[in-house]
Amino acid sequence: MRGLPLELSNLSVTGAEGRMLVRAESLSIAPGESIGIRGPSGAGKSTLLYALAGLQPTAKGVIRWGDTDLVALGESERARFRRDRVGLVFQDFLLFEELTAQGNAALAAAFGARGDAASIRSRAGAALERLGIGDTARNVDSFSGGERQRVAIARSLANDPAIILADEPTASLDRDTADRMIDDLVDLARTGGKTLIAVSHDRTLLERMDRLVEVIDGRLQEGAFDA
């Protein structure tokens, strides 16, 4: 599935008691672009990422993916958009402990169109193999943190999403596995025309991105790669 352009304007996300968490006047991202988001802990990076996924109900302004403004949609419509268009990699994995690696990675097959199930399972298995998960029939409750992260990444890719949103995707991975995963994500964005946005402190990942966005005290600005 080809990527979607993002046009963000006058975005604000508030937290408890109306405290401002993120404010952004504008941000434009083209399909096929890979964007790294960095900033200090607590600056609002993850809040921004979840707003772009339609997971921040207090978001106001415009978050337009192609012709779809997430802010204007209801909760069920945002959930449908995520299911059909977005691959999410959460920092806390959010796997089903009682399912196998393959079952978790191919979870979208249970919710999508019946005719798509076989291709979702196939892509899930291929992604697990690329990421070094050979025992796909083992339940993830016995997996290490790094193995769980790899399963979560495979799940995000199984539905051939137009948009990939990743929150610290290399945090639990050893360097070799992290580098392979970065290669896969960047290749998907550039050759598949997908839109990739990754929050990370990993310099190696950030240096592979096309652009860098800094989040400081909830505000966005174009960043520069360190010399």
Side-chain angles (χ1 to χ4, degrees), residues 28-171:
S28 297
I29 300 174
E33 269 198 299
S34 55
I35 305 298
I37 299 177
R38 74 173 180 186
S41 296
K45 303 183 301 297
S46 295
T47 299
L48 171 63
L49 196 75
Y50 295 160
L52 298 181
L55 288 168
Q56 291 289 356
T58 64
K60 296 182 180 179
V62 174
I63 304 171
R64 181 173 289 113
W65 289 104
D67 296 329
T68 302
D69 180 3
L70 292 185
V71 177
L73 299 181
E75 183 177 353
S76 62
E77 293 171 306
R78 291 196 300 271
R80 189 177 303 114
F81 180 87
R82 281 193 300 276
R83 182 196 68 193
D84 294 341
R85 301 294 187 92
V86 181
L88 274 164
V89 182
F90 295 98
Q91 191 171 358
D92 296 328
F93 315 140
L94 300 183
L95 302 177
F96 287 92
E97 300 289 311
E98 69 277 12
L99 294 182
T100 64
Q102 174 70 21
N104 271 285
L107 195 63
F111 302 100
R114 183 174 300 178
D116 295 334
S119 59
I120 290 172
R121 294 189 185 100
S122 176
R123 283 192 294 268
L128 287 169
E129 184 176 354
R130 283 199 309 273
L131 291 164
I133 301 293
D135 187 1
T136 60
R138 182 158 57 100
N139 283 13
V140 299
D141 59 359
S142 63
F143 277 27
S144 68
E147 288 173 320
R148 289 166 183 256
Q149 182 68 299
R150 284 177 270 171
V151 173
I153 292 166
R155 179 184 60 193
S156 75
L157 302 178
N159 201 33
D160 189 26
I163 304 156
I164 303 169
L165 304 177
D167 192 6
E168 299 286 0
T170 63

Side-chain angles (χ1 to χ4, degrees), residues 181-215:
M181 187 278 300
I182 294 168
D183 288 342
D184 276 348
L185 290 181
V186 171
D187 183 65
L188 274 169
R190 291 178 181 165
T191 64
K194 298 181 185 301
T195 309
L196 169 62
I197 304 175
V199 167
S200 185
H201 290 95
D202 184 345
R203 181 187 177 97
T204 302
L205 184 150
L206 294 173
E207 288 177 343
R208 294 289 305 278
M209 301 291 101
D210 296 321
R211 289 163 52 200
L212 192 61
V213 173
E214 302 265 10
V215 182

